[in-house]
């Protein structure tokens, strides 16, 4: 295996910085439009991974996905939206807008996009 060079390390650092501002458009079939999701922070990634690993069942996994979907979608953070929907817990917005299958699907797309080491880092 080839040894890492100084340039490789710098490329990795730059890529990590770029990832922090990346977004992903996910189609929402019920609306016929898409929502924008931002890259989860390191803390959000760790919280998600920990929650999924210790979930102990579908309910726990669903809660982790629901939190990830909410945390990564700035539009869902709107105080106006929360007031209009009369929510007390902001994460309830996700339950009011999406079915559990949709939440898991959106969460999987976020994970597929942001939780994998990109081949670009290697090149």
């Amino acid at each position: 295996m080839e040894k890492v060079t100084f340039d490789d390390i710098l490329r990795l650092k730059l890529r990590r910085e770029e990832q922090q501002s990346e977004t992903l458009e996910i189609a929402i079939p019920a609306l016929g439009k898409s929502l924008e999701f931002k890259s989860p922070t390191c803390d959000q990634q760790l919280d998600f991974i920990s929650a999924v690993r210790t979930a102990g069942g579908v309910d726990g996994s669903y809660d982790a996905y629901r939190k990830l979907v909410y945390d990564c979608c700035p539009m869902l953070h709107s105080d106006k939206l929360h007031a209009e929907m009369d929510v007390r817990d902001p994460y309830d917005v996700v339950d009011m807008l999406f079915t559990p299958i949709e939440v898991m699907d959106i969460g999987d797309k976020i994970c597929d996009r942001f939780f994998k080491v990109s081949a670009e880092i290697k090149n």
Side-chain angles (χ1 to χ4, degrees), residues 52-71:
V52 168
R53 286 192 176 163
T54 60
V58 174
D59 288 345
S61 291
Y62 174 78
D63 287 341
Y65 275 86
R66 178 177 79 137
K67 187 174 185 320
L68 180 70
V69 168
Y70 178 83
D71 289 345

Side-chain angles (χ1 to χ4, degrees), residues 9-108:
I9 292 172
L10 289 179
R11 218 176 4 260
L12 179 60
K13 178 193 176 290
L14 291 172
R15 179 66 184 137
R16 292 262 305 147
E17 289 172 354
E18 290 171 3
Q19 283 178 327
Q20 291 173 353
S21 62
E22 289 181 2
T23 60
L24 171 67
E25 294 285 327
I26 297 178
I28 308 301
L31 295 174
K33 298 182 179 187
S34 65
L35 271 173
E36 183 178 84
F37 293 82
K38 63 180 181 63
S39 176
T41 65
C42 288
D43 286 342
Q44 289 167 338
Q45 290 180 32
L46 292 172
D47 287 348
F48 176 77
I49 292 166
S50 177
V52 168
R53 286 192 176 163
T54 60
V58 174
D59 288 345
S61 291
Y62 174 78
D63 287 341
Y65 275 86
R66 178 177 79 137
K67 187 174 185 320
L68 180 70
V69 168
Y70 178 83
D71 289 345
C72 293
C73 186
M75 186 170 277
L76 299 182
H77 295 218
S78 164
D79 291 336
K80 183 178 179 181
L81 178 67
H82 295 180
E84 288 289 325
M85 297 180 81
D86 192 33
V87 295
R88 304 218 189 304
D89 178 357
Y91 296 105
D92 288 345
V93 169
V94 175
D95 296 327
M96 297 171 96
L97 297 175
F98 308 113
T99 67
I101 297 299
E102 290 171 325
V103 171
M104 301 294 273
D105 183 51
I106 292 168
D108 283 342

